[in-house]
Amino acid sequence: MADGKAELGADRHSKKITSILVTQPKPANDNSPYLGIAEKYGIKVDFRAFIEIEPVPYKEFRKDKVNILDHTAVIFTSRNAVDHFFRICAEGKIEVPAEMKYFCISDQTAYYLQKYIVLRKRKLFIGGKTASDLFEVLKKHKNEKFLYPCSNIRKEDIPEFMRANGFDFTEATMYKTVASDLSDLAEVKYDCIAFFSPSGISSLFVNFPDFKQNNTRIAAFGPTTAQAVRDAGLELDIEAPMPNAPSMTGAIEVYIQQHSKKK
């Protein structure tokens, strides 16, 4: 996975990026901005999910003794949480009452709920884009009994907020985030690898314990991913979002343009 045998150093920035590995599934259509970068700069761009989602079977979920119907509200922070909440309900033949309230971290997550429920008949509350935005909404509903469907790997922000503010809430692990099998990439080299979560960094070292960065540029989206890169002893070369580049592709393009000018 690493490129060459050179020691990690500033001189690697003079090496042209000709290949990028995006650690996400390949887009379903041809409108991906990564493909625009590929065409504009003559760069090979590959997509490969570094993490996979595995369902927690209902039989295993029952061992945690979480009674969904004891709760009056559900907090959703992702599409995966939505999918696996309703999967567990279906497997357990649990009929969610019409009075159940739903608190979604974003419009996108709320819109996705329409796959399972008719939104106009339910009580729906939406944050902005971040957990902090959702906190302001939750503060107005302290009397609810909240259920928080999540993965075995999740951020601490929501549980910490709920505990610190005396909310009645229950975490429910309904799916697991696991490392993908990347063994076929063992002999493949990329000039740049783009990461989007700390789990992606973990997957890299699960699959390649002896990974050496060498001349490979590392890109990270979001502060927690950036910190995971540093904690792993890697050099972070491209960090997104940036004031002048809110997307990963934008940040990568800024890097390409800046370092091509130095040659």
Side-chain angles (χ1 to χ4, degrees), residues 247-261:
S247 66
M248 176 65 90
T249 50
I252 290 174
E253 185 164 18
V254 167
Y255 177 90
I256 291 171
Q257 292 175 345
Q258 287 179 341
H259 292 280
S260 64
K261 291 177 182 178

Side-chain angles (χ1 to χ4, degrees), residues 149-236:
C150 58
S151 169
N152 61 320
I153 300 175
R154 51 100 180 107
K155 294 181 181 179
E156 293 286 346
D157 47 7
I158 289 179
E160 286 180 352
F161 170 81
M162 301 298 277
R163 286 191 289 266
N165 289 276
F167 281 87
D168 185 344
F169 88 107
T170 305
E171 286 189 52
T173 302
M174 295 184 173
Y175 56 102
K176 296 179 181 180
T177 305
V178 299
S180 301
D181 180 2
L182 306 173
S183 55
D184 59 304
L185 294 180
E187 303 302 323
V188 182
K189 299 177 176 62
Y190 289 93
D191 297 322
C192 178
I193 307 177
F195 292 95
F196 301 84
S197 71
S199 298
I201 303 295
S202 298
S203 177
L204 173 68
F205 285 98
V206 166
N207 281 277
F208 309 105
D210 299 323
F211 175 81
K212 297 294 187 295
Q213 185 173 355
N214 297 324
N215 286 326
T216 301
R217 267 57 59 90
I218 301 293
F221 190 89
T224 57
T225 309
Q227 188 58 49
V229 170
R230 298 184 182 101
D231 290 344
L234 300 175
E235 187 81 11
L236 180 60

Side-chain angles (χ1 to χ4, degrees), residues 73-76 102-104 125-127 131-144 146 158 161-162 165 167:
V74 186
I75 298 173
F76 288 128
Y102 298 95
F103 292 77
C104 297
F125 305 89
I126 307 172
S132 297
D133 297 328
L134 185 60
F135 295 162
E136 297 305 313
V137 179
L138 292 170
K139 287 176 182 178
K140 300 174 184 178
H141 300 271
K142 290 201 68 174
N143 294 326
E144 302 295 338
F146 289 93
I158 289 179
F161 170 81
M162 301 298 277
N165 289 276
F167 281 87

